[in-house]
Amino acid sequence: MRRKVIAGNWKMNKLPNEAIEFMDSLAKLVKDTNNEVIICAPYTDLFYVLLQAQGTNIKVGAQNMHFEDNGAYTGEVSGEMLKAIGVEYVIIGHSERRQYFNETDETVNKKIKAAFKHELKPIVCVGETLEQREEGLANDIIRNQTKLALEGLSKEEVKGTIIAYEPIWAIGTGKTATSEDANNSIKEIRNEIESIYGKDVADEVIIQYGGSVKSKNAKELFETSDIDGGLVGGASLDPEEFSKIVNYDK
Ligand code: 13P
């Protein structure tokens, strides 16, 4: 049985005092869950969030990293730096980074390799646009993104990768994929992984759904055969609402 992993992606939200307050509330609300809980905070909040997470079951992730360890890359933060302060997870290739910051399948692949080099666990985002879905290309797109993202990784590394299927048309729009559609897309991703790395790897890899996950739709989504939890944007900003998603099975 794969575990459920529920990660909050705060995106560019929350000042340190708000982050501290949030963590204080969330820790109490999710202390009894068996699901894995991760908060992916902006760089400027990470240190505070890490301190607050100590002694709780909440894990901490960043939202991006550079693939080099150091050097003349003004404004960037490396995997080595994240590891040094105690970060455990890192989101890589979010569609907002692909769309606004020229992230490509190639940089995504480099960043995943750099994450493993520094023993960070990558949460890798894939997903199609509405146009691609309407043209019937969704499965090809997500299979290809998955293949390119994981290229050159060992079986063990693929097993340790979390994939987040986030259809771009469902992000921040209030439009959720139906649980059946999301589950089918995730099966496609799992089949792609099976075709390259084998069934043992495909059966183990955690694949989340993301895109307008809320407390009212979490249960239906997460109880399908292949959806192993969620990557949650807007609904992760409020501790009460996010805790209800984490505790969907209570
Ligand atoms: P929303 O939950 O706000 O739709 O965002 C999803 C997302 O992009 C998480 O990474």
Side-chain angles (χ1 to χ4, degrees), residues 23 26 30 216:
M23 290 295 289
L26 185 70
V30 301
K216 65 177 189 311

Side-chain angles (χ1 to χ4, degrees), residues 9 11 91 94-96 125 166 170-174 210-214 231-235:
N9 173 13
K11 308 193 179 182
I91 298 174
H94 192 281
S95 63
E96 287 152 16
C125 303
E166 299 206 311
I171 296 177
T173 57
S212 299
V213 175
K214 311 277 180 229
L231 183 57
V232 185

Side-chain angles (χ1 to χ4, degrees), residues 65-67 92-93 97-98 101-113:
M65 57 173 265
H66 198 275
F67 47 79
I92 291 179
R97 296 218 51 92
R98 294 181 193 249
F101 302 99
N102 298 324
E103 197 85 74
T104 64
D105 290 323
E106 193 190 343
T107 58
V108 167
N109 178 253
K110 282 185 176 174
K111 288 179 178 194
I112 298 169
K113 287 178 177 157

Side-chain angles (χ1 to χ4, degrees), residues 16-60:
N17 60 323
E18 296 167 329
I20 291 168
E21 217 172 282
F22 173 101
M23 290 295 289
D24 206 33
S25 307
L26 185 70
K28 295 178 193 120
L29 295 166
V30 301
K31 66 178 179 6
D32 296 324
T33 184
N34 293 320
N35 303 323
E36 196 166 316
V37 191
I38 308 170
I39 290 293
C40 298
Y43 293 134
T44 46
D45 289 336
L46 278 175
F47 199 72
Y48 303 96
V49 170
L50 281 160
L51 286 178
Q52 291 297 117
Q54 279 179 8
T56 76
N57 56 346
I58 305 172
K59 301 185 170 174
V60 180

